[in-house]
Amino acid sequence: MCTAEQYTPLLLAHEAVAIDPSARTVGVKSAAGVELVGYDELVVGTGARPVIPPLLGIDLPGVYAMHTIDEARSLRAVVDGGARSVALIGAGYIGTEMADAFTNCDVEVTLIEMAPAVLTTFDTDLGALVGAELEHHGVAVKCGTTVERLESGVGGGVRVLGGPDLDVNVDAVLIGVGVRPDSTLAAAAGVPVDARSAIVVDERMATGVDGIWAAGDCVQTHHVLYAEPVYLPLGTTAHKQGRVAGINAAGGAARYIGSLGTQAVKILDLVAARTGLRDVEASAAGYEPLSVTVSVDDHKAYYPGATTVHVRITGDRRDGRLLGVQILGTYGAEISKRVDIVATAIHAGSSVAAPSDLDLSYTPPLSSPWDPIQSAAQAWIRAR
Amino acid sequence: MCTAEQYTPLLLAHEAVAIDPSARTVGVKSAAGVELVGYDELVVGTGARPVIPPLLGIDLPGVYAMHTIDEARSLRAVVDGGARSVALIGAGYIGTEMADAFTNCDVEVTLIEMAPAVLTTFDTDLGALVGAELEHHGVAVKCGTTVERLESGVGGGVRVLGGPDLDVNVDAVLIGVGVRPDSTLAAAAGVPVDARSAIVVDERMATGVDGIWAAGDCVQTHHVLYAEPVYLPLGTTAHKQGRVAGINAAGGAARYIGSLGTQAVKILDLVAARTGLRDVEASAAGYEPLSVTVSVDDHKAYYPGATTVHVRITGDRRDGRLLGVQILGTYGAEISKRVDIVATAIHAGSSVAAPSDLDLSYTPPLSSPWDPIQSAAQAWIRAR
């Protein structure tokens, strides 16, 4: 067991294989064998594992689940080695971002999604606009399509078969159908996990076990607008939870205020961003949502370069509480920062109406005297 | 006097010359003479007038104060007519924006400002960065410089003389040294105005006179962070106040929640934006401000195109209250929308620390897991 003198700040190429909460030790495996490392406080950040669908042929060479940097490098080597085509299974953030990246590398992309539109964390009609953008850039978008099996393809590639009418031969297949919490280590030590295998934590990121904290893609997450914890593996959430866990493990007092599921993605010439709840999510959570969409200029049309931005704002029709927004527009960080204005308002317990009164910035090249989110708020008030 | 049948919704080329609050009439002058128009409720939106410094030669041909659309057209005609050089007196929003516009028209610009840096509503060091950007694009920036007189120049232009060492000969001169409320009409009718001649209004935009409301550049403005009303002639403020005045005049109930002085300006390849108070303003208002600046990447550096964004956040060191932010960075609306996130937080009564906890959006092309404003908030906490 390490003494204080032997303390090593960073153990790379070491795998934690067991936690003993009563002895306050972690069993650590390396090339040198297994040793015990003592701790006063332990922060578990074991992250997530990609979901690998149990398809026939999933273990074929040329099939990737890009989770580690090494896997990304392997895939990069495949492209640099002359790959001309790729199939992406799943059109969430990873699938659509990889479609963007491969398209920019002049690799032919077939993007396969079971749902009726890409980007299923957005409403279907907005996802369809993103799908049209992908097609406009040459991506073969196959929604409502299920992969049934993979086979060795002609010329060393992979043949992807499914329904309806899916039969493509590609140089590589990339799976991006989501992740699951990697909580095995903690669970084996008696740390409680929920039905999704996410580690149960309180607002201090404390687990049920004394001296053990957890954060990031391996834990359940408090969501401001849901009564029950959710599983939302996102980098922003992991950063905030890790900070809270670290402060508390070091003897401080920090609290994770909760997520709104705020997300942004750049896909070719578009940005889609969201925060809070959509209609379908809000209804399931017991709200009575009303969503209203405006499609307006991102800045004054008399200044060159104005483009249309679609803003869908969601609130509870009973009490007018602001619940969420989805924004889709031309590539630029202001799309996502407009979402963040709404996120800030939701955190403050805002009504849908209130953002209309906020003193937001304006100059013709950058916005309108009423920002698009204020136009959306006003449209919601009229529609209610 | 107009009867209901004669009611005309829009009287163009008509000048309101007198208000009789007891008779509830407005005297309106047109080519047809003066007639009386009756009203139930009256909204005054007479705007502002440009400040014209009492300089010798100010009435020379070739000297402009761009206030009306006709004046803008005249100036455009001067450029289209072959003007190669212009002097701008005053380097506030109008001066710097016009420097941008003339530079884009390949007109040589001399920008003259009394203060030590351009853009005096920002801290001097940030203004100096904007000045350097203007100089980088060929603008002759003359700060700490006072215009003393104008003379007829050689070749039909204007000679601008002042100190120290100001002597330029240009095709046109544009004055942009601010505006004053145009409250003459209302004041003559007994509507109270303040020491700056701004019409006194309450949060309903009601004046002291029954049936008369006022809004926009002619009124004083409630500022969320100041005890006393301010004069802040801005388009955003005018839109909000006009809406409030209109709703109330029509029998509704609306309240103007107040300004934060949120402003944004695009100058060549930069955007500068601010909300709330700077140190110098906060101190004068009785706060004990602390400002902290971070200069960070606008998005993850491994994604192409990252640029530096300067974020200066201001809070009260006694109670940690968030007071304001100034952001300067590369042209893009996200600079100003980041300011708006802070504006939204100030409206909600946020501490400086709180934005660090907000669930703001992230994806590598658009931001960092901690948005630059969150990095600034964290730096402020460490520096306090």
Side-chain angles (χ1 to χ4, degrees), chain A residues 72-143:
Chain A
R73 287 183 177 136
S74 301
L75 202 55
R76 175 84 234 183
V78 169
V79 173
D80 292 342
R84 302 316 322 143
S85 61
V86 66
L88 307 176
I89 302 178
Y93 291 107
I94 299 296
T96 52
E97 287 181 323
M98 291 307 296
D100 172 317
F102 282 118
T103 299
N104 283 319
C105 296
D106 291 321
V107 174
E108 254 179 52
V109 175
T110 303
L111 180 60
I112 305 161
E113 170 61 49
M114 290 199 304
V118 305
L119 221 50
T120 51
T121 52
F122 287 76
D123 286 346
T124 302
D125 60 327
L126 297 175
L129 292 175
V130 175
E133 169 76 2
L134 287 158
E135 288 177 335
H136 175 69
H137 287 262
V139 174
V141 178
K142 299 200 173 291
C143 291

Side-chain angles (χ1 to χ4, degrees), chain A residues 150-245:
Chain A
L150 307 175
E151 295 180 356
S152 290
V154 292
V158 184
R159 187 177 174 193
V160 185
L161 292 153
D165 307 321
L166 178 66
D167 185 353
V168 291
N169 207 87
V170 291
D171 294 325
V173 173
L174 177 61
I175 297 164
V177 296
V179 298
R180 288 205 184 100
D182 189 351
S183 58
T184 316
L185 181 71
V191 173
V193 299
D194 68 15
R196 292 160 298 216
S197 303
I199 297 171
V200 176
V201 288
D202 65 13
E203 61 178 14
R204 301 171 62 230
M205 308 312 293
T207 68
V209 177
D210 189 43
I212 302 186
W213 314 81
D217 289 2
C218 60
V219 306
Q220 60 174 220
T221 289
H222 166 57
H223 192 297
V224 171
L225 297 171
Y226 282 118
E228 298 297 320
V230 296
Y231 181 59
L232 260 175
L234 292 167
T236 43
T237 307
H239 273 72
K240 289 184 187 70
Q241 292 177 337
R243 196 167 195 258
V244 169

Side-chain angles (χ1 to χ4, degrees), chain B residues 5 183 365 369:
Chain B
E5 291 72 36
S183 57

Side-chain angles (χ1 to χ4, degrees), chain B residues 316-366:
Chain B
D316 193 309
R317 61 170 82 238
R318 296 168 304 186
D319 59 4
R321 180 177 180 184
L322 179 59
L323 294 175
V325 77
Q326 300 167 75
I327 308 187
L328 179 67
T330 301
Y331 178 22
E334 68 274 18
I335 302 291
S336 53
K337 295 301 126 188
R338 284 189 165 117
V339 159
D340 291 349
I341 296 167
V342 176
T344 303
I346 296 175
H347 274 299
S350 174
S351 68
V352 182
S356 174
D357 292 333
L358 298 174
D359 186 14
L360 306 182
S361 61
Y362 162 61
T363 184
L366 307 179

Side-chain angles (χ1 to χ4, degrees), chain B residues 206-271:
Chain B
T207 68
V209 176
D210 189 43
I212 302 186
W213 314 80
D217 289 2
C218 60
V219 306
Q220 60 173 218
T221 288
H222 167 57
H223 190 297
V224 171
L225 297 171
Y226 283 118
E228 298 296 321
V230 295
Y231 181 60
L232 260 174
L234 292 166
T236 45
T237 306
H239 272 72
K240 290 184 186 70
Q241 292 176 338
R243 196 167 195 256
V244 169
I247 289 170
N248 289 327
R255 190 176 70 83
Y256 177 66
I257 67 165
S259 167
L260 292 170
T262 310
Q263 297 163 42
V265 59
K266 178 255 180 202
I267 302 165
L268 300 163
D269 296 333
L270 294 181
V271 167

Side-chain angles (χ1 to χ4, degrees), chain B:
Chain B
M1 184 168 160
C2 289
T3 65
E5 291 72 36
Q6 295 168 315
Y7 172 71
T8 309
L10 184 62
L11 299 174
L12 294 174
H14 285 62
E15 183 188 357
V17 291
I19 302 167
D20 182 339
S22 51
R24 298 214 173 202
T25 59
V26 178
V28 175
K29 190 169 135 191
S30 68
V34 175
E35 62 175 333
L36 290 181
V37 177
Y39 67 81
D40 294 325
E41 304 288 328
L42 181 70
V43 179
V44 175
T46 41
R49 275 193 249 246
V51 172
I52 304 298
L55 294 172
L56 199 68
I58 199 80
D59 294 324
L60 285 170
V63 180
Y64 298 83
M66 200 176 68
H67 185 61
T68 63
I69 290 175
D70 280 346
E71 282 174 287
R73 287 183 178 136
S74 300
L75 202 55
R76 176 84 233 181
V78 169
V79 173
D80 292 343
R84 301 317 320 142
S85 61
V86 67
L88 308 175
I89 301 178
Y93 292 105
I94 299 297
T96 52
E97 287 180 323
M98 290 307 296
D100 173 317
F102 282 118
T103 299
N104 283 320
C105 295
D106 291 322
V107 174
E108 253 180 54
V109 176
T110 302
L111 180 61
I112 305 161
E113 170 59 49
M114 288 200 304
V118 306
L119 221 51
T120 52
T121 52
F122 288 76
D123 287 346
T124 302
D125 60 327
L126 297 175
L129 292 174
V130 175
E133 169 76 2
L134 287 158
E135 287 178 335
H136 176 68
H137 286 263
V139 174
V141 177
K142 299 200 173 293
C143 291
T145 301
T146 307
V147 175
E148 283 156 13
R149 68 182 190 279
L150 307 176
E151 296 180 356
S152 290
V154 291
V158 183
R159 187 176 172 191
V160 184
L161 291 153
D165 306 322
L166 178 66
D167 185 353
V168 291
N169 206 86
V170 292
D171 294 326
V173 173
L174 177 62
I175 296 164
V177 295
V179 298
R180 289 206 183 100
D182 189 351
S183 57
T184 315
L185 180 72
V191 174
V193 299
D194 67 15
R196 291 160 301 215
S197 303
I199 297 171
V200 176
V201 288
D202 65 14
E203 62 180 12
R204 301 170 64 232
M205 307 312 294
T207 68
V209 176
D210 189 43
I212 302 186
W213 314 80
D217 289 2
C218 60
V219 306
Q220 60 173 218
T221 288
H222 167 57
H223 190 297
V224 171
L225 297 171
Y226 283 118
E228 298 296 321
V230 295
Y231 181 60
L232 260 174
L234 292 166
T236 45
T237 306
H239 272 72
K240 290 184 186 70
Q241 292 176 338
R243 196 167 195 256
V244 169
I247 289 170
N248 289 327
R255 190 176 70 83
Y256 177 66
I257 67 165
S259 167
L260 292 170
T262 310
Q263 297 163 42
V265 59
K266 178 255 180 202
I267 302 165
L268 300 163
D269 296 333
L270 294 181
V271 167
R274 61 165 290 186
T275 190
L277 306 183
R278 299 184 287 138
D279 267 1
V280 60
E281 297 158 345
S283 294
Y287 297 98
E288 283 185 22
L290 169 68
S291 289
V292 172
T293 308
V294 296
S295 298
V296 296
D297 290 325
D298 71 323
H299 66 255
K300 294 307 285 181
Y302 61 74
Y303 194 93
T307 60
T308 300
V309 59
H310 307 285
V311 182
R312 178 163 301 162
I313 201 161
T314 302
D316 193 309
R317 61 170 82 238
R318 296 168 304 186
D319 59 4
R321 180 177 180 184
L322 179 59
L323 294 175
V325 77
Q326 300 167 75
I327 308 187
L328 179 67
T330 301
Y331 178 22
E334 68 274 18
I335 302 291
S336 53
K337 295 301 126 188
R338 284 189 165 117
V339 159
D340 291 349
I341 296 167
V342 176
T344 303
I346 296 175
H347 274 299
S350 174
S351 68
V352 182
S356 174
D357 292 333
L358 298 174
D359 186 14
L360 306 182
S361 61
Y362 162 61
T363 184
L366 307 179
S367 188
S368 296
W370 300 107
D371 187 86
I373 64 167
Q374 298 181 307
S375 299
Q378 292 166 11
W380 193 94
I381 299 164
R382 289 193 297 273
R384 188 185 180 183

